[in-house]
Amino acid sequence: ETGVTQTPRHLVMGMTNKKSLKCEQHLGHNAMYWYKQSAKKPLELMFVYNFKEQTENNSVPSRFSPECPNSSHLFLHLHTLQPEDSALYLCASSVSTDTQYFGPGTRLTVL
Amino acid sequence: SQQGEEDPQALSIQEGENATMNCSYKTSINNLQWYRQNSGRGLVHLILIRSNEREKHSGRLRVTLDTSKKSSSLLITASRAADTASYFCATDYQGAQKLVFGQGTRLTINP
């Protein structure tokens, strides 16, 4: 256990659905991250939040909408996704750019 | 791209042998980190080496950093079946305020 939790662990959704992924850490970290991991592709950084402020949006389509209500919680709201968005979505937290602590991930399948 | 590159992409060895993975990167870094990922799970931090360090050890892990060649290596000694996983290097580029992950090396330890 890394101290970072993600729910749900698995999610199947249709292209017209709206769903949200949740990430939680109580490690006292100031930075939180969303990554996308697709088969045979490098880990892709999607968003970075530092002290609740978004500091990085790596050209992510608007159908992915992040929310960081406080330093311990991070959400990824999903709507009108495409099948190519199927992937493992990983959340991580850290203090500055030192060690990142990853959650177990949400395996997303878009039908 | 600032992305690091791991070499080899896949490595298969017998239990008890040593495994060496390499990582090359492109610009100046603050630190370089190695992570491990079991299939479909989150990444787990293994070791961090700073730009002013040349070698670091942690248990059966040995990491070296050559900033003149912009490369790092991860050595796992006396490998075990449980070491089977993907291994990623991540670089903290100066001024980037984020980690950039490589594509990873898939390590298989055969009993």
Side-chain angles (χ1 to χ4, degrees):
Chain A
E1 290 295 326
T2 63
V4 180
T5 59
Q6 287 187 245
T7 54
R9 295 292 307 277
H10 300 272
L11 178 62
V12 179
M13 59 187 289
M15 290 191 285
T16 58
N17 292 158
K18 289 184 180 181
K19 297 287 184 183
S20 295
L21 310 185
K22 179 182 177 182
C23 176
E24 187 171 352
Q25 59 92 7
H26 295 287
L27 301 170
H29 293 167
N30 56 279
M32 295 188 77
Y33 312 80
W34 279 118
Y35 290 89
K36 175 183 178 182
Q37 188 177 37
S38 305
K40 299 183 180 179
K41 291 178 73 174
L43 203 61
E44 299 173 57
L45 178 64
M46 301 175 72
F47 301 104
V48 181
Y49 278 81
N50 198 7
F51 292 105
K52 302 189 298 178
E53 298 297 320
Q54 188 180 121
T55 57
E56 180 97 14
N57 178 338
N58 206 18
S59 301
V60 180
S62 59
R63 57 186 184 269
F64 294 92
S65 175
E67 178 190 2
C68 188
N70 55 62
S71 293
S72 299
H73 295 85
L74 184 64
F75 295 89
L76 188 62
H77 303 300
L78 316 171
H79 63 99
T80 59
L81 294 192
Q82 305 298 312
E84 60 264 29
D85 296 322
S86 298
L88 181 67
Y89 288 84
L90 293 164
C91 172
S93 70
S94 72
V95 175
S96 72
T97 51
D98 274 6
T99 302
Q100 289 191 10
Y101 293 79
F102 283 79
T106 295
R107 173 66 63 185
L108 174 67
T109 302
V110 181
L111 301 176
Chain B
S1 168
Q2 294 176 322
Q3 182 182 316
E5 295 182 5
E6 279 102 338
D7 169 57
Q9 290 189 4
L11 178 62
S12 181
I13 61 173
Q14 294 300 119
E15 195 167 19
E17 294 180 340
N18 295 341
T20 299
M21 289 158 272
N22 303 296
C23 172
S24 60
Y25 58 92
K26 296 196 170 102
T27 61
S28 297
I29 60 172
N30 296 313
N31 66 64
L32 185 144
Q33 304 176 33
W34 285 91
Y35 290 79
R36 165 199 167 116
Q37 183 182 33
N38 287 82
S39 181
R41 308 291 296 273
L43 279 70
V44 175
H45 180 260
L46 295 176
I47 199 163
L48 179 154
I49 187 164
R50 300 198 184 276
S51 60
N52 61 352
E53 298 175 309
R54 290 297 165 258
E55 188 171 313
K56 215 162 178 183
H57 297 255
S58 177
R60 293 183 296 112
L61 305 180
R62 173 179 168 248
V63 168
T64 61
L65 179 64
D66 187 335
T67 53
S68 67
K69 295 182 180 177
K70 293 187 171 56
S71 67
S72 174
S73 67
L74 170 67
L75 168 68
I76 303 174
T77 60
S79 63
R80 305 167 181 168
D83 294 329
T84 294
S86 292
Y87 292 82
F88 296 87
C89 71
T91 43
D92 172 18
Y93 287 98
Q94 290 179 4
Q97 298 294 306
K98 63 183 180 183
L99 293 182
V100 179
F101 285 81
Q103 291 189 316
T105 293
R106 175 68 193 166
L107 175 65
T108 302
I109 309 299
N110 302 302

PDB file of all heavy atoms in Angstrom, chain A residues 26-58:
ATOM      1  N   HIS A  26      -3.571  10.790   1.902  1.00  0.00           N
ATOM      2  CA  HIS A  26      -3.443  11.441   3.204  1.00  0.00           C
ATOM      3  C   HIS A  26      -1.997  11.366   3.639  1.00  0.00           C
ATOM      4  O   HIS A  26      -1.696  11.061   4.800  1.00  0.00           O
ATOM      5  CB  HIS A  26      -4.409  10.787   4.212  1.00  0.00           C
ATOM      6  CG  HIS A  26      -5.845  10.995   3.851  1.00  0.00           C
ATOM      7  ND1 HIS A  26      -6.480  12.205   3.995  1.00  0.00           N
ATOM      8  CD2 HIS A  26      -6.765  10.158   3.313  1.00  0.00           C
ATOM      9  CE1 HIS A  26      -7.733  12.101   3.585  1.00  0.00           C
ATOM     10  NE2 HIS A  26      -7.936  10.871   3.158  1.00  0.00           N
ATOM     11  N   LEU A  27      -1.106  11.642   2.674  1.00  0.00           N
ATOM     12  CA  LEU A  27       0.326  11.615   2.938  1.00  0.00           C
ATOM     13  C   LEU A  27       0.873  13.015   3.190  1.00  0.00           C
ATOM     14  O   LEU A  27       2.073  13.178   3.414  1.00  0.00           O
ATOM     15  CB  LEU A  27       1.049  10.987   1.734  1.00  0.00           C
ATOM     16  CG  LEU A  27       0.616   9.546   1.399  1.00  0.00           C
ATOM     17  CD1 LEU A  27       1.199   9.112   0.053  1.00  0.00           C
ATOM     18  CD2 LEU A  27       1.046   8.590   2.502  1.00  0.00           C
ATOM     19  N   GLY A  28      -0.004  14.001   3.108  1.00  0.00           N
ATOM     20  CA  GLY A  28       0.441  15.380   3.291  1.00  0.00           C
ATOM     21  C   GLY A  28       1.161  15.943   2.082  1.00  0.00           C
ATOM     22  O   GLY A  28       1.868  16.948   2.189  1.00  0.00           O
ATOM     23  N   HIS A  29       0.986  15.312   0.928  1.00  0.00           N
ATOM     24  CA  HIS A  29       1.655  15.783  -0.281  1.00  0.00           C
ATOM     25  C   HIS A  29       0.936  16.986  -0.872  1.00  0.00           C
ATOM     26  O   HIS A  29      -0.280  17.122  -0.754  1.00  0.00           O
ATOM     27  CB  HIS A  29       1.715  14.663  -1.323  1.00  0.00           C
ATOM     28  CG  HIS A  29       2.602  13.540  -0.912  1.00  0.00           C
ATOM     29  ND1 HIS A  29       2.597  12.314  -1.565  1.00  0.00           N
ATOM     30  CD2 HIS A  29       3.529  13.436   0.073  1.00  0.00           C
ATOM     31  CE1 HIS A  29       3.484  11.523  -0.988  1.00  0.00           C
ATOM     32  NE2 HIS A  29       4.061  12.175   0.012  1.00  0.00           N
ATOM     33  N   ASN A  30       1.693  17.846  -1.537  1.00  0.00           N
ATOM     34  CA  ASN A  30       1.104  19.040  -2.120  1.00  0.00           C
ATOM     35  C   ASN A  30       0.770  18.889  -3.604  1.00  0.00           C
ATOM     36  O   ASN A  30       0.003  19.667  -4.150  1.00  0.00           O
ATOM     37  CB  ASN A  30       2.047  20.238  -1.959  1.00  0.00           C
ATOM     38  CG  ASN A  30       3.420  19.956  -2.558  1.00  0.00           C
ATOM     39  OD1 ASN A  30       4.247  19.307  -1.925  1.00  0.00           O
ATOM     40  ND2 ASN A  30       3.660  20.428  -3.766  1.00  0.00           N
ATOM     41  N   ALA A  31       1.354  17.902  -4.264  1.00  0.00           N
ATOM     42  CA  ALA A  31       1.148  17.740  -5.698  1.00  0.00           C
ATOM     43  C   ALA A  31       0.408  16.434  -5.986  1.00  0.00           C
ATOM     44  O   ALA A  31       0.669  15.406  -5.355  1.00  0.00           O
ATOM     45  CB  ALA A  31       2.487  17.739  -6.438  1.00  0.00           C
ATOM     46  N   MET A  32      -0.516  16.499  -6.938  1.00  0.00           N
ATOM     47  CA  MET A  32      -1.242  15.304  -7.368  1.00  0.00           C
ATOM     48  C   MET A  32      -1.286  15.279  -8.889  1.00  0.00           C
ATOM     49  O   MET A  32      -1.295  16.330  -9.547  1.00  0.00           O
ATOM     50  CB  MET A  32      -2.661  15.282  -6.775  1.00  0.00           C
ATOM     51  CG  MET A  32      -2.662  15.170  -5.252  1.00  0.00           C
ATOM     52  SD  MET A  32      -4.290  14.908  -4.539  1.00  0.00           S
ATOM     53  CE  MET A  32      -4.544  13.152  -4.895  1.00  0.00           C
ATOM     54  N   TYR A  33      -1.308  14.068  -9.428  1.00  0.00           N
ATOM     55  CA  TYR A  33      -1.149  13.875 -10.863  1.00  0.00           C
ATOM     56  C   TYR A  33      -2.154  12.850 -11.393  1.00  0.00           C
ATOM     57  O   TYR A  33      -2.486  11.887 -10.702  1.00  0.00           O
ATOM     58  CB  TYR A  33       0.260  13.309 -11.179  1.00  0.00           C
ATOM     59  CG  TYR A  33       1.401  14.021 -10.517  1.00  0.00           C
ATOM     60  CD1 TYR A  33       1.724  13.772  -9.186  1.00  0.00           C
ATOM     61  CD2 TYR A  33       2.187  14.916 -11.230  1.00  0.00           C
ATOM     62  CE1 TYR A  33       2.787  14.409  -8.574  1.00  0.00           C
ATOM     63  CE2 TYR A  33       3.263  15.561 -10.621  1.00  0.00           C
ATOM     64  CZ  TYR A  33       3.553  15.290  -9.295  1.00  0.00           C
ATOM     65  OH  TYR A  33       4.608  15.934  -8.697  1.00  0.00           O
ATOM     66  N   TRP A  34      -2.577  13.055 -12.637  1.00  0.00           N
ATOM     67  CA  TRP A  34      -3.280  12.012 -13.393  1.00  0.00           C
ATOM     68  C   TRP A  34      -2.392  11.603 -14.560  1.00  0.00           C
ATOM     69  O   TRP A  34      -1.893  12.449 -15.300  1.00  0.00           O
ATOM     70  CB  TRP A  34      -4.613  12.513 -13.948  1.00  0.00           C
ATOM     71  CG  TRP A  34      -5.755  12.525 -12.986  1.00  0.00           C
ATOM     72  CD1 TRP A  34      -6.464  13.611 -12.564  1.00  0.00           C
ATOM     73  CD2 TRP A  34      -6.359  11.395 -12.346  1.00  0.00           C
ATOM     74  NE1 TRP A  34      -7.442  13.227 -11.683  1.00  0.00           N
ATOM     75  CE2 TRP A  34      -7.411  11.878 -11.527  1.00  0.00           C
ATOM     76  CE3 TRP A  34      -6.121  10.011 -12.367  1.00  0.00           C
ATOM     77  CZ2 TRP A  34      -8.221  11.041 -10.753  1.00  0.00           C
ATOM     78  CZ3 TRP A  34      -6.924   9.189 -11.589  1.00  0.00           C
ATOM     79  CH2 TRP A  34      -7.957   9.699 -10.802  1.00  0.00           C
ATOM     80  N   TYR A  35      -2.248  10.276 -14.718  1.00  0.00           N
ATOM     81  CA  TYR A  35      -1.536   9.698 -15.834  1.00  0.00           C
ATOM     82  C   TYR A  35      -2.464   8.736 -16.574  1.00  0.00           C
ATOM     83  O   TYR A  35      -3.335   8.109 -15.979  1.00  0.00           O
ATOM     84  CB  TYR A  35      -0.333   8.868 -15.370  1.00  0.00           C
ATOM     85  CG  TYR A  35       0.828   9.629 -14.802  1.00  0.00           C
ATOM     86  CD1 TYR A  35       0.888   9.913 -13.440  1.00  0.00           C
ATOM     87  CD2 TYR A  35       1.880  10.049 -15.613  1.00  0.00           C
ATOM     88  CE1 TYR A  35       1.980  10.594 -12.901  1.00  0.00           C
ATOM     89  CE2 TYR A  35       2.968  10.721 -15.085  1.00  0.00           C
ATOM     90  CZ  TYR A  35       3.002  10.987 -13.727  1.00  0.00           C
ATOM     91  OH  TYR A  35       4.088  11.660 -13.206  1.00  0.00           O
ATOM     92  N   LYS A  36      -2.191   8.586 -17.877  1.00  0.00           N
ATOM     93  CA  LYS A  36      -2.880   7.580 -18.678  1.00  0.00           C
ATOM     94  C   LYS A  36      -1.838   6.571 -19.153  1.00  0.00           C
ATOM     95  O   LYS A  36      -0.776   6.968 -19.646  1.00  0.00           O
ATOM     96  CB  LYS A  36      -3.556   8.229 -19.893  1.00  0.00           C
ATOM     97  CG  LYS A  36      -4.199   7.239 -20.853  1.00  0.00           C
ATOM     98  CD  LYS A  36      -4.769   7.959 -22.062  1.00  0.00           C
ATOM     99  CE  LYS A  36      -5.374   6.962 -23.060  1.00  0.00           C
ATOM    100  NZ  LYS A  36      -5.890   7.643 -24.277  1.00  0.00           N
ATOM    101  N   GLN A  37      -2.150   5.288 -19.001  1.00  0.00           N
ATOM    102  CA  GLN A  37      -1.238   4.254 -19.473  1.00  0.00           C
ATOM    103  C   GLN A  37      -1.988   3.332 -20.423  1.00  0.00           C
ATOM    104  O   GLN A  37      -2.876   2.591 -20.010  1.00  0.00           O
ATOM    105  CB  GLN A  37      -0.652   3.452 -18.308  1.00  0.00           C
ATOM    106  CG  GLN A  37       0.438   2.491 -18.744  1.00  0.00           C
ATOM    107  CD  GLN A  37       1.075   1.755 -17.581  1.00  0.00           C
ATOM    108  OE1 GLN A  37       0.408   1.381 -16.621  1.00  0.00           O
ATOM    109  NE2 GLN A  37       2.386   1.554 -17.630  1.00  0.00           N
ATOM    110  N   SER A  38      -1.631   3.427 -21.698  1.00  0.00           N
ATOM    111  CA  SER A  38      -2.219   2.558 -22.717  1.00  0.00           C
ATOM    112  C   SER A  38      -1.223   1.464 -23.061  1.00  0.00           C
ATOM    113  O   SER A  38      -0.013   1.616 -22.857  1.00  0.00           O
ATOM    114  CB  SER A  38      -2.542   3.360 -23.978  1.00  0.00           C
ATOM    115  OG  SER A  38      -3.366   4.458 -23.679  1.00  0.00           O
ATOM    116  N   ALA A  39      -1.744   0.394 -23.617  1.00  0.00           N
ATOM    117  CA  ALA A  39      -0.890  -0.729 -23.993  1.00  0.00           C
ATOM    118  C   ALA A  39       0.186  -0.266 -24.985  1.00  0.00           C
ATOM    119  O   ALA A  39      -0.102   0.477 -25.919  1.00  0.00           O
ATOM    120  CB  ALA A  39      -1.724  -1.844 -24.603  1.00  0.00           C
ATOM    121  N   LYS A  40       1.417  -0.662 -24.716  1.00  0.00           N
ATOM    122  CA  LYS A  40       2.546  -0.419 -25.627  1.00  0.00           C
ATOM    123  C   LYS A  40       2.831   1.057 -25.851  1.00  0.00           C
ATOM    124  O   LYS A  40       3.388   1.428 -26.889  1.00  0.00           O
ATOM    125  CB  LYS A  40       2.323  -1.131 -26.964  1.00  0.00           C
ATOM    126  CG  LYS A  40       2.202  -2.645 -26.813  1.00  0.00           C
ATOM    127  CD  LYS A  40       2.056  -3.336 -28.140  1.00  0.00           C
ATOM    128  CE  LYS A  40       1.938  -4.850 -27.925  1.00  0.00           C
ATOM    129  NZ  LYS A  40       1.780  -5.579 -29.196  1.00  0.00           N
ATOM    130  N   LYS A  41       2.421   1.907 -24.919  1.00  0.00           N
ATOM    131  CA  LYS A  41       2.740   3.328 -25.015  1.00  0.00           C
ATOM    132  C   LYS A  41       3.338   3.785 -23.701  1.00  0.00           C
ATOM    133  O   LYS A  41       3.044   3.220 -22.646  1.00  0.00           O
ATOM    134  CB  LYS A  41       1.485   4.146 -25.338  1.00  0.00           C
ATOM    135  CG  LYS A  41       0.952   3.931 -26.733  1.00  0.00           C
ATOM    136  CD  LYS A  41      -0.317   4.727 -26.977  1.00  0.00           C
ATOM    137  CE  LYS A  41      -0.054   6.186 -27.114  1.00  0.00           C
ATOM    138  NZ  LYS A  41      -1.281   6.950 -27.489  1.00  0.00           N
ATOM    139  N   PRO A  42       4.150   4.822 -23.728  1.00  0.00           N
ATOM    140  CA  PRO A  42       4.718   5.329 -22.473  1.00  0.00           C
ATOM    141  C   PRO A  42       3.630   5.904 -21.580  1.00  0.00           C
ATOM    142  O   PRO A  42       2.554   6.278 -22.052  1.00  0.00           O
ATOM    143  CB  PRO A  42       5.670   6.437 -22.929  1.00  0.00           C
ATOM    144  CG  PRO A  42       5.830   6.270 -24.388  1.00  0.00           C
ATOM    145  CD  PRO A  42       4.623   5.579 -24.888  1.00  0.00           C
ATOM    146  N   LEU A  43       3.938   5.994 -20.316  1.00  0.00           N
ATOM    147  CA  LEU A  43       3.050   6.636 -19.364  1.00  0.00           C
ATOM    148  C   LEU A  43       2.871   8.096 -19.783  1.00  0.00           C
ATOM    149  O   LEU A  43       3.841   8.821 -19.988  1.00  0.00           O
ATOM    150  CB  LEU A  43       3.695   6.570 -17.978  1.00  0.00           C
ATOM    151  CG  LEU A  43       2.826   6.675 -16.743  1.00  0.00           C
ATOM    152  CD1 LEU A  43       1.815   5.555 -16.698  1.00  0.00           C
ATOM    153  CD2 LEU A  43       3.693   6.656 -15.502  1.00  0.00           C
ATOM    154  N   GLU A  44       1.606   8.524 -19.933  1.00  0.00           N
ATOM    155  CA  GLU A  44       1.333   9.880 -20.394  1.00  0.00           C
ATOM    156  C   GLU A  44       0.830  10.733 -19.240  1.00  0.00           C
ATOM    157  O   GLU A  44      -0.198  10.419 -18.639  1.00  0.00           O
ATOM    158  CB  GLU A  44       0.246   9.863 -21.473  1.00  0.00           C
ATOM    159  CG  GLU A  44       0.584   9.089 -22.715  1.00  0.00           C
ATOM    160  CD  GLU A  44      -0.626   9.008 -23.637  1.00  0.00           C
ATOM    161  OE1 GLU A  44      -1.150  10.079 -24.007  1.00  0.00           O
ATOM    162  OE2 GLU A  44      -1.054   7.888 -23.967  1.00  0.00           O
ATOM    163  N   LEU A  45       1.538  11.801 -18.931  1.00  0.00           N
ATOM    164  CA  LEU A  45       1.074  12.738 -17.920  1.00  0.00           C
ATOM    165  C   LEU A  45      -0.095  13.530 -18.490  1.00  0.00           C
ATOM    166  O   LEU A  45      -0.008  14.083 -19.589  1.00  0.00           O
ATOM    167  CB  LEU A  45       2.205  13.679 -17.530  1.00  0.00           C
ATOM    168  CG  LEU A  45       1.880  14.755 -16.506  1.00  0.00           C
ATOM    169  CD1 LEU A  45       1.524  14.134 -15.155  1.00  0.00           C
ATOM    170  CD2 LEU A  45       3.044  15.713 -16.354  1.00  0.00           C
ATOM    171  N   MET A  46      -1.200  13.585 -17.730  1.00  0.00           N
ATOM    172  CA  MET A  46      -2.376  14.324 -18.188  1.00  0.00           C
ATOM    173  C   MET A  46      -2.483  15.672 -17.483  1.00  0.00           C
ATOM    174  O   MET A  46      -2.549  16.708 -18.130  1.00  0.00           O
ATOM    175  CB  MET A  46      -3.640  13.505 -17.926  1.00  0.00           C
ATOM    176  CG  MET A  46      -3.674  12.151 -18.605  1.00  0.00           C
ATOM    177  SD  MET A  46      -5.115  11.184 -18.127  1.00  0.00           S
ATOM    178  CE  MET A  46      -6.436  12.049 -18.976  1.00  0.00           C
ATOM    179  N   PHE A  47      -2.544  15.640 -16.177  1.00  0.00           N
ATOM    180  CA  PHE A  47      -2.747  16.853 -15.390  1.00  0.00           C
ATOM    181  C   PHE A  47      -1.869  16.823 -14.148  1.00  0.00           C
ATOM    182  O   PHE A  47      -1.592  15.772 -13.600  1.00  0.00           O
ATOM    183  CB  PHE A  47      -4.207  16.975 -14.924  1.00  0.00           C
ATOM    184  CG  PHE A  47      -5.223  16.999 -16.028  1.00  0.00           C
ATOM    185  CD1 PHE A  47      -5.985  15.880 -16.306  1.00  0.00           C
ATOM    186  CD2 PHE A  47      -5.430  18.156 -16.771  1.00  0.00           C
ATOM    187  CE1 PHE A  47      -6.929  15.887 -17.323  1.00  0.00           C
ATOM    188  CE2 PHE A  47      -6.376  18.184 -17.788  1.00  0.00           C
ATOM    189  CZ  PHE A  47      -7.122  17.044 -18.068  1.00  0.00           C
ATOM    190  N   VAL A  48      -1.476  18.035 -13.714  1.00  0.00           N
ATOM    191  CA  VAL A  48      -0.753  18.202 -12.465  1.00  0.00           C
ATOM    192  C   VAL A  48      -1.442  19.284 -11.661  1.00  0.00           C
ATOM    193  O   VAL A  48      -1.781  20.344 -12.201  1.00  0.00           O
ATOM    194  CB  VAL A  48       0.718  18.609 -12.696  1.00  0.00           C
ATOM    195  CG1 VAL A  48       1.441  18.741 -11.352  1.00  0.00           C
ATOM    196  CG2 VAL A  48       1.426  17.592 -13.575  1.00  0.00           C
ATOM    197  N   TYR A  49      -1.634  19.011 -10.382  1.00  0.00           N
ATOM    198  CA  TYR A  49      -2.142  20.001  -9.446  1.00  0.00           C
ATOM    199  C   TYR A  49      -1.109  20.192  -8.350  1.00  0.00           C
ATOM    200  O   TYR A  49      -0.568  19.226  -7.817  1.00  0.00           O
ATOM    201  CB  TYR A  49      -3.468  19.559  -8.826  1.00  0.00           C
ATOM    202  CG  TYR A  49      -4.659  19.831  -9.710  1.00  0.00           C
ATOM    203  CD1 TYR A  49      -4.983  18.972 -10.751  1.00  0.00           C
ATOM    204  CD2 TYR A  49      -5.437  20.965  -9.519  1.00  0.00           C
ATOM    205  CE1 TYR A  49      -6.065  19.235 -11.575  1.00  0.00           C
ATOM    206  CE2 TYR A  49      -6.527  21.228 -10.342  1.00  0.00           C
ATOM    207  CZ  TYR A  49      -6.832  20.354 -11.364  1.00  0.00           C
ATOM    208  OH  TYR A  49      -7.900  20.619 -12.183  1.00  0.00           O
ATOM    209  N   ASN A  50      -0.861  21.437  -8.014  1.00  0.00           N
ATOM    210  CA  ASN A  50       0.070  21.767  -6.948  1.00  0.00           C
ATOM    211  C   ASN A  50      -0.652  22.717  -5.998  1.00  0.00           C
ATOM    212  O   ASN A  50      -1.064  23.805  -6.416  1.00  0.00           O
ATOM    213  CB  ASN A  50       1.326  22.411  -7.518  1.00  0.00           C
ATOM    214  CG  ASN A  50       2.474  22.379  -6.555  1.00  0.00           C
ATOM    215  OD1 ASN A  50       2.415  21.772  -5.485  1.00  0.00           O
ATOM    216  ND2 ASN A  50       3.560  23.030  -6.915  1.00  0.00           N
ATOM    217  N   PHE A  51      -0.820  22.313  -4.754  1.00  0.00           N
ATOM    218  CA  PHE A  51      -1.592  23.097  -3.784  1.00  0.00           C
ATOM    219  C   PHE A  51      -2.955  23.486  -4.371  1.00  0.00           C
ATOM    220  O   PHE A  51      -3.371  24.639  -4.318  1.00  0.00           O
ATOM    221  CB  PHE A  51      -0.817  24.353  -3.347  1.00  0.00           C
ATOM    222  CG  PHE A  51       0.401  24.052  -2.537  1.00  0.00           C
ATOM    223  CD1 PHE A  51       1.668  24.161  -3.106  1.00  0.00           C
ATOM    224  CD2 PHE A  51       0.303  23.662  -1.218  1.00  0.00           C
ATOM    225  CE1 PHE A  51       2.812  23.878  -2.363  1.00  0.00           C
ATOM    226  CE2 PHE A  51       1.442  23.375  -0.461  1.00  0.00           C
ATOM    227  CZ  PHE A  51       2.690  23.482  -1.040  1.00  0.00           C
ATOM    228  N   LYS A  52      -3.628  22.519  -4.960  1.00  0.00           N
ATOM    229  CA  LYS A  52      -4.988  22.623  -5.515  1.00  0.00           C
ATOM    230  C   LYS A  52      -5.066  23.414  -6.817  1.00  0.00           C
ATOM    231  O   LYS A  52      -6.141  23.528  -7.402  1.00  0.00           O
ATOM    232  CB  LYS A  52      -5.969  23.236  -4.511  1.00  0.00           C
ATOM    233  CG  LYS A  52      -6.097  22.516  -3.195  1.00  0.00           C
ATOM    234  CD  LYS A  52      -7.245  23.075  -2.355  1.00  0.00           C
ATOM    235  CE  LYS A  52      -7.006  24.526  -2.020  1.00  0.00           C
ATOM    236  NZ  LYS A  52      -8.131  25.106  -1.248  1.00  0.00           N
ATOM    237  N   GLU A  53      -3.966  23.966  -7.268  1.00  0.00           N
ATOM    238  CA  GLU A  53      -3.988  24.729  -8.505  1.00  0.00           C
ATOM    239  C   GLU A  53      -3.448  23.877  -9.658  1.00  0.00           C
ATOM    240  O   GLU A  53      -2.401  23.231  -9.528  1.00  0.00           O
ATOM    241  CB  GLU A  53      -3.134  25.996  -8.370  1.00  0.00           C
ATOM    242  CG  GLU A  53      -3.622  26.970  -7.290  1.00  0.00           C
ATOM    243  CD  GLU A  53      -4.998  27.511  -7.599  1.00  0.00           C
ATOM    244  OE1 GLU A  53      -5.276  27.801  -8.772  1.00  0.00           O
ATOM    245  OE2 GLU A  53      -5.801  27.638  -6.649  1.00  0.00           O
ATOM    246  N   GLN A  54      -4.136  23.907 -10.784  1.00  0.00           N
ATOM    247  CA  GLN A  54      -3.671  23.140 -11.934  1.00  0.00           C
ATOM    248  C   GLN A  54      -2.437  23.816 -12.522  1.00  0.00           C
ATOM    249  O   GLN A  54      -2.474  24.994 -12.895  1.00  0.00           O
ATOM    250  CB  GLN A  54      -4.764  23.032 -12.998  1.00  0.00           C
ATOM    251  CG  GLN A  54      -4.399  22.089 -14.134  1.00  0.00           C
ATOM    252  CD  GLN A  54      -5.496  21.983 -15.186  1.00  0.00           C
ATOM    253  OE1 GLN A  54      -5.278  22.277 -16.348  1.00  0.00           O
ATOM    254  NE2 GLN A  54      -6.664  21.553 -14.785  1.00  0.00           N
ATOM    255  N   THR A  55      -1.348  23.068 -12.611  1.00  0.00           N
ATOM    256  CA  THR A  55      -0.113  23.629 -13.138  1.00  0.00           C
ATOM    257  C   THR A  55       0.298  22.994 -14.463  1.00  0.00           C
ATOM    258  O   THR A  55       1.252  23.428 -15.093  1.00  0.00           O
ATOM    259  CB  THR A  55       1.043  23.450 -12.134  1.00  0.00           C
ATOM    260  OG1 THR A  55       1.184  22.050 -11.836  1.00  0.00           O
ATOM    261  CG2 THR A  55       0.772  24.218 -10.853  1.00  0.00           C
ATOM    262  N   GLU A  56      -0.410  21.958 -14.861  1.00  0.00           N
ATOM    263  CA  GLU A  56      -0.062  21.295 -16.108  1.00  0.00           C
ATOM    264  C   GLU A  56      -1.324  20.689 -16.717  1.00  0.00           C
ATOM    265  O   GLU A  56      -2.092  20.013 -16.028  1.00  0.00           O
ATOM    266  CB  GLU A  56       0.964  20.185 -15.853  1.00  0.00           C
ATOM    267  CG  GLU A  56       1.405  19.424 -17.094  1.00  0.00           C
ATOM    268  CD  GLU A  56       2.708  19.925 -17.672  1.00  0.00           C
ATOM    269  OE1 GLU A  56       3.406  20.683 -16.978  1.00  0.00           O
ATOM    270  OE2 GLU A  56       3.030  19.556 -18.813  1.00  0.00           O
ATOM    271  N   ASN A  57      -1.546  20.973 -17.980  1.00  0.00           N
ATOM    272  CA  ASN A  57      -2.580  20.305 -18.761  1.00  0.00           C
ATOM    273  C   ASN A  57      -1.892  19.906 -20.052  1.00  0.00           C
ATOM    274  O   ASN A  57      -1.589  20.758 -20.886  1.00  0.00           O
ATOM    275  CB  ASN A  57      -3.756  21.243 -19.031  1.00  0.00           C
ATOM    276  CG  ASN A  57      -4.827  20.589 -19.890  1.00  0.00           C
ATOM    277  OD1 ASN A  57      -4.577  19.632 -20.620  1.00  0.00           O
ATOM    278  ND2 ASN A  57      -6.030  21.098 -19.806  1.00  0.00           N
ATOM    279  N   ASN A  58      -1.622  18.616 -20.179  1.00  0.00           N
ATOM    280  CA  ASN A  58      -0.772  18.153 -21.261  1.00  0.00           C
ATOM    281  C   ASN A  58      -1.585  17.914 -22.525  1.00  0.00           C
ATOM    282  O   ASN A  58      -1.612  16.811 -23.064  1.00  0.00           O
ATOM    283  CB  ASN A  58      -0.059  16.869 -20.812  1.00  0.00           C
ATOM    284  CG  ASN A  58       1.246  16.656 -21.549  1.00  0.00           C
ATOM    285  OD1 ASN A  58       1.791  17.573 -22.138  1.00  0.00           O
ATOM    286  ND2 ASN A  58       1.746  15.445 -21.511  1.00  0.00           N
TER     287      ASN A  58
END
